[in-house]
């Protein structure tokens, strides 16, 4: 549809271009050729006007009048001829001659030449007849005597003597030469007579041809007049388009010319200019080529712009689509992320809550296990306290008896013993208090040796009653580690009491405790002579509520709590079976920095 429209529009533009270029070029050419036509007419007018009045002037001259006297002498006639020759030479005419009333030439400017007209009879010539009638006779005819058959133009005027026409004076011109001036590359100039016969032409082969086919009577008349001798006067092979002022010549190739014409009324002629339209055709072709080129360029440019706009729009659409996909992706991702974030936040708060709860429970558990351990220890402890109490009682009884006997020395000894015993009791009680205390969870430098000693002191009764021997291998220096007094003590109480439990049935009950100093960290190894750890459960023992003990004896929390506490200290606890039998617990603790600095 668009292509059709563009093609139709292009066609219209080209057609209009062709039309207007032709119109302008034709108008231009018409104007130029009209000017040329005027020049040609002026030229012809000028050439004729120059001679038009000469015969009438010459007719009044006495020499010529006298020569026509009936009795004129040869001398007079010769004088006339000589004068004619002189005037002819000066005026530039071809010939001048005088005819008597019978039409016989009596004196002539060419009297001395071979072609002299003297004695010839031109009585039938139309110009002579006109002159005899008292008018200015004018006529033209082919001058067959001349080469190449020039057109002779005659002006004749009556010569009067005493008011009577006695003869005529005639001037003959060759106007043919004028035609040579009209040669032009782009047009032909023709002069035709009333019958439309070309007698002057810038194209020699058109001479003596008629513009249009002559009717037979006209042909006859012209032939009789002898104006053109006995030439056939065939018509030119042309067709006329009067409406458009155009003439088409039919030859090998048809050529069309623009026709301009104007009459010369005084001579009864018509001048035609036939301007070839090739030039216009050429201009039209060039204009069409330029217009086509511009049109094609414009169409290509428009197509290119259109294509570009399409591509741009396509790209923009693609971009917009990609953008919207991206945006929706981002929105979706953002939504997911927001959800995940909210979820995570929820999880974090849940975790925190769980952690606080766990910590609380852990603390409670720690406390509970401590209490449980205390419960377990209570029998031993009461025994431990009862023994010194009983001893104190007997020492005080003894002291009182010795006091009554005024034996003071033993009193002093007894009192000293009592004092010693209360010291021991106070120590036991202080240990218990410390153990039962709910210690804050922070980490501080703690003595490994003291924690071990206090744990052993708390378990002293159980160790003794079970008959367990203790072998300690410890460095001399007190080593400080990252920890907490009560918690470290609790770890050792747990591990050692497990060992006591394990060795219940063992024939030899021996507990080896060694402390190794590895500079950065400290390892406490506790090795018993019990049955060792069950191989399949090696990793389970640190799990909460894992216990192989009878119901009511173990809760399965001791090692898991110890594990958690050691992790808090930044240390570790592992259990393995010793090569010599029995279980070995290895507690690794970080040496306290403050302590190390102090040591350095
Ligand atoms: P409980 O002592 O209440 O059972 P623990 O967490 O302290 O809980 O101990 C878990 C289990 O580890 C014990 O039941 C026992 O089976 C095993 N265990 C701990 N220490 C030893 C050891 N020295 N020798 C053999 N087994 C042990």
């Amino acid at each position: 549809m668009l292509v059709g429209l563009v093609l139709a529009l292009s066609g219209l533009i080209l057609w209009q271009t062709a039309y207007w270029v032709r119109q302008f070029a034709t108008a231009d050419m018409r104007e130029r050729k009209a000017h040329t036509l005027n020049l040609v007419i002026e030229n012809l007018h000028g050439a004729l006007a120059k001679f038009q009045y000469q015969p009438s002037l010459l007719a009044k001259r006495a020499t010529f009048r006298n020569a026509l006297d009936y009795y004129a002498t040869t001398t007079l006639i010769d004088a006339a001829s000589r004068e004619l020759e002189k005037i002819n030479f000066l005026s530039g005419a071809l010939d001048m001659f005088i005819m008597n009333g019978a039409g016989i030439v009596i004196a002539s400017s060419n009297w001395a030449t071979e072609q002299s007209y003297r004695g010839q009879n031109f009585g039938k010539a139309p110009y002579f007849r006109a002159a005899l009638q008292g008018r200015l006779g004018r006529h033209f005819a082919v001058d067959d005597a001349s080469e190449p058959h020039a057109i002779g133009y005659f002006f004749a005027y009556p010569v009067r003597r005493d008011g009577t026409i006695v003869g005529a004076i005639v001037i003959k011109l060759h106007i043919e030469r004028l035609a040579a001036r009209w040669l032009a590359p782009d047009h032909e100039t023709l002069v035709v007579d009333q019958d439309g016969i070309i007698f002057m032409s810038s194209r020699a082969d058109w001479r003596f041809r008629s513009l249009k086919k002559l009717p037979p009577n006209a042909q006859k008349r012209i032939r009789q007049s002898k104006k053109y001798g006995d030439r056939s006067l065939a018509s030119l092979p042309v067709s006329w388009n009067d409406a458009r002022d155009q003439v088409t010549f039919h030859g090998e190739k048809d050529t069309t010319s623009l026709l301009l014409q104007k009459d010369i009324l005084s001579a009864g002629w018509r001048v035609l200019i036939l301007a070839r339209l090739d030039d216009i055709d050429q201009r039209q072709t060039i204009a069409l080529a330029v217009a086509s080129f511009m049109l094609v360029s414009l169409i290509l440019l428009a197509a290119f712009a259109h294509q570009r706009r399409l591509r741009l729009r396509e790209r923009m659409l693609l971009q917009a689509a990609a953008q919207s996909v991206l945006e929706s992706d981002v929105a979706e991702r953002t939504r997911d992320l927001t959800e995940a974030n909210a979820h995570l936040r929820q999880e974090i708060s849940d975790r925190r809550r769980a952690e606080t709860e766990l910590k609380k429970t852990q603390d409670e558990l720690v406390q509970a296990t401590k209490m449980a351990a205390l419960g377990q220890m209570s029998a031993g402890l009461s025994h431990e306290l009862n023994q010194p109490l009983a001893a104190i009682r007997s020492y005080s009884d003894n002291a009182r008896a010795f006091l009554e006997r005024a034996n003071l020395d033993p009193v002093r000894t007894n009192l000293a013993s009592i004092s010693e015993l209360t010291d021991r009791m106070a120590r036991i009680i202080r240990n218990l208090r410390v153990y039962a205390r709910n210690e804050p969870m922070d980490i501080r430098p703690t003595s490994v040796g003291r924690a071990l000693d206090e744990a052993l002191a708390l378990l002293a009764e159980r160790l003794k009653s079970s008959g367990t021997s203790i072998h300690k291998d410890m460095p001399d220096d007190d080593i400080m580690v990252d920890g907490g007094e009560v918690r470290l003590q609790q770890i050792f109480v747990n591990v050692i009491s497990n060992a006591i439990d394990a060795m219940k049935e063992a024939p030899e009950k021996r507990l080896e405790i060694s402390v190794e100093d590895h500079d950065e960290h400290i390892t406490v190894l506790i090795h018993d002579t019990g049955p060792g750890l069950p191989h399949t459960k090696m990793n389970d023992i640190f799990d909460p509520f894992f216990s192989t003990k009878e119901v009511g004896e173990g809760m399965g929390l001791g090692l898991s709590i110890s594990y958690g506490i050691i992790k808090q200290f930044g240390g570790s606890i592992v259990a393995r079976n010793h090569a010599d039998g029995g279980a070995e617990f290895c507690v690794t603790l970080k040496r306290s920095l403050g302590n190390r600095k102090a040591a350095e």
Side-chain angles (χ1 to χ4, degrees):
M1 162 89 178
L2 189 75
V3 171
L5 200 76
V6 167
L7 282 179
L9 203 73
S10 304
L12 189 74
I13 289 172
L14 288 180
W15 175 58
Q16 281 295 305
T17 307
Y19 176 78
W20 285 108
V21 164
R22 178 161 281 272
Q23 215 66 0
F24 283 128
T26 310
D28 179 48
M29 182 175 267
R30 193 183 294 280
E31 197 177 320
R32 278 190 292 123
K33 298 306 169 188
H35 186 66
T36 311
L37 180 64
N38 284 335
L39 280 178
V40 168
I41 288 169
E42 284 306 308
N43 198 222
L44 274 170
H45 259 308
L48 295 178
K50 194 171 144 197
F51 297 100
Q52 188 173 347
Y53 301 105
Q54 277 189 21
S56 60
L57 291 173
L58 292 175
K60 290 190 175 73
R61 287 180 87 99
T63 324
F64 304 137
R65 287 221 312 268
N66 292 338
L68 283 171
D69 187 0
Y70 186 72
Y71 302 104
T73 58
T74 324
T75 324
L76 274 176
I77 290 171
D78 283 351
S81 281
R82 254 187 235 106
E83 190 152 338
L84 278 173
E85 185 182 12
K86 202 166 77 195
I87 294 170
N88 185 53
F89 177 72
L90 290 174
S91 73
L94 184 70
D95 289 314
M96 286 185 182
F97 52 91
I98 296 168
M99 296 166 83
N100 65 15
I104 295 163
V105 178
I106 55 154
S108 163
S109 58
N110 62 356
W111 65 284
T113 66
E114 276 181 20
Q115 293 84 28
S116 172
Y117 299 137
R118 274 212 323 206
Q120 290 195 42
N121 190 343
F122 297 143
K124 281 186 184 155
Y127 53 86
F128 178 67
R129 284 163 189 236
L132 279 191
Q133 285 164 14
R135 294 186 278 121
L136 171 70
R138 48 198 305 165
H139 181 67
F140 75 92
V142 183
D143 189 357
D144 283 324
S146 70
E147 276 303 326
H149 307 295
I151 296 291
Y153 196 90
F154 300 87
F155 284 111
Y157 200 78
V159 183
R160 296 169 208 263
R161 278 178 70 87
D162 308 325
T164 329
I165 295 168
V166 287
I169 182 155
V170 182
I171 295 182
K172 182 182 175 187
L173 320 166
H174 264 182
I175 53 170
E176 192 64 25
R177 268 169 289 165
L178 287 175
R181 297 192 200 163
W182 303 335
L183 285 173
D186 61 343
H187 69 255
E188 303 296 347
T189 310
L190 319 174
V191 187
V192 300
D193 66 6
Q194 283 121 322
D195 295 308
I197 294 159
I198 303 163
F199 62 90
M200 283 172 81
S201 165
S202 54
R203 239 180 100 163
D205 59 327
W206 287 359
R207 264 178 66 192
F208 311 124
R209 311 275 303 258
S210 61
L211 291 178
K212 289 174 184 170
K213 200 166 162 48
L214 290 168
N217 56 344
Q219 271 182 23
K220 201 173 157 197
R221 177 171 48 80
I222 295 162
R223 189 152 302 158
Q224 276 173 356
S225 79
K226 292 255 182 204
K227 212 175 177 181
Y228 301 108
D230 46 9
R231 290 182 174 78
S232 71
L233 308 175
S235 59
L236 283 176
V238 295
S239 48
W240 300 83
N241 184 342
D242 293 330
R244 296 177 66 182
D245 288 340
Q246 284 186 1
V247 185
T248 307
F249 288 88
H250 307 292
E252 278 177 31
K253 198 173 97 197
D254 286 4
T255 53
T256 303
S257 298
L258 187 69
L259 170 69
L260 284 101
Q261 52 185 339
K262 202 166 181 179
D263 289 337
I264 304 178
L265 289 173
S266 60
W269 299 342
R270 177 177 287 185
V271 181
L272 292 89
I273 280 188
L274 298 172
R276 273 190 289 282
L277 289 174
D278 314 1
D279 183 39
I280 289 178
D281 288 346
Q282 206 175 338
R283 277 163 80 172
Q284 194 179 22
T285 313
I286 290 171
L288 272 179
V290 170
S292 308
F293 177 73
M294 276 164 69
L295 255 176
V296 167
S297 304
L298 237 130
I299 289 169
L300 281 180
L301 210 75
F304 177 70
H306 182 66
Q307 199 68 24
R308 213 177 125 83
R309 231 185 52 204
L310 277 184
R311 268 214 309 273
L312 215 72
R313 212 170 63 188
E314 205 175 314
R315 201 179 305 161
M316 269 164 71
L317 280 176
L318 275 176
Q319 266 178 4
Q323 178 106 358
S324 85
V325 166
L326 199 75
E327 271 170 16
S328 78
D329 270 8
V330 167
E332 203 175 318
R333 204 66 66 78
T334 311
R335 207 166 44 239
D336 288 355
L337 269 175
T338 318
E339 270 172 27
N341 211 8
H343 197 66
L344 212 68
R345 243 178 244 179
Q346 181 65 36
E347 261 185 16
I348 287 172
S349 81
D350 286 356
R351 185 75 59 89
R352 279 216 185 109
R353 206 171 324 118
E355 254 175 31
T356 4
E357 254 164 45
L358 191 71
K359 206 157 155 242
K360 212 171 118 215
T361 329
Q362 251 181 3
D363 288 352
E364 283 169 8
L365 266 174
V366 169
Q367 204 56 20
T369 45
K370 275 200 297 193
M371 291 310 156
L374 268 179
Q376 263 187 335
M377 287 186 277
S378 63
L381 278 172
S382 63
H383 176 75
E384 195 82 351
L385 291 174
N386 274 338
Q387 227 186 359
L389 270 176
I392 287 169
R393 189 187 181 100
S394 49
Y395 279 132
S396 63
D397 286 350
N398 289 349
R400 208 164 45 211
F402 283 122
L403 202 63
E404 277 169 10
R405 278 184 254 155
N407 190 353
L408 289 181
D409 275 348
V411 171
R412 212 171 278 121
T413 329
N414 279 338
L415 283 176
S417 296
I418 288 171
S419 173
E420 224 171 86
L421 282 169
T422 51
D423 262 1
R424 191 177 149 210
M425 286 175 74
R427 208 168 57 241
I428 290 168
I429 289 164
R430 197 189 65 234
N431 261 352
L432 265 178
R433 256 216 333 263
V434 168
Y435 186 71
R437 203 173 71 207
N438 202 357
E439 190 187 44
M441 298 300 256
D442 60 334
I443 292 162
R444 50 183 179 272
T446 311
S447 161
V448 185
R450 261 239 324 267
L452 265 171
D453 284 345
E454 275 158 14
L456 286 170
L458 276 173
L459 296 166
E461 176 51 30
R462 281 189 65 196
L463 286 164
K464 208 162 91 191
S465 60
S466 64
T468 306
S469 63
I470 309 282
H471 298 271
K472 281 209 295 186
D473 177 13
M474 294 172 72
D476 297 336
D477 296 341
D478 189 13
I479 301 169
M480 301 298 276
V481 292
D482 281 350
E485 201 182 321
V486 180
R487 281 167 292 166
L488 196 55
Q489 184 187 332
Q490 187 185 350
I491 291 162
F492 293 139
V493 166
N494 280 341
V495 175
I496 295 166
S497 59
N498 274 345
I500 297 168
D501 288 342
M503 291 188 293
K504 212 186 258 174
E505 310 286 328
E508 193 204 349
K509 297 171 184 169
R510 178 189 165 88
L511 194 64
E512 282 173 10
I513 301 172
S514 58
V515 175
E516 291 172 2
D517 185 352
H518 297 291
D519 197 28
E520 287 270 309
H521 56 270
I522 310 299
T523 320
V524 182
L525 294 163
I526 299 165
H527 174 210
D528 60 44
T529 52
L533 298 158
H535 280 281
T536 50
K537 309 280 191 233
M538 205 72 103
N539 294 320
D540 298 343
I541 55 168
F542 295 106
D543 287 348
F545 306 110
F546 175 82
S547 176
T548 55
K549 293 174 190 167
E550 303 270 309
V551 182
E553 275 187 21
M555 292 209 299
L557 286 171
L559 284 181
S560 94
I561 287 169
S562 301
Y563 184 87
I565 294 169
I566 292 170
K567 272 266 129 86
Q568 276 176 1
F569 292 164
S572 64
I573 178 168
V574 288
R576 54 186 172 230
N577 283 324
H578 199 273
D580 301 340
E584 184 178 54
F585 281 79
C586 173
V587 177
T588 306
L589 294 160
K590 267 166 54 179
R591 183 191 277 274
S592 169
L593 273 178
N595 178 256
R596 193 163 41 187
K597 272 193 188 132
E600 282 164 8

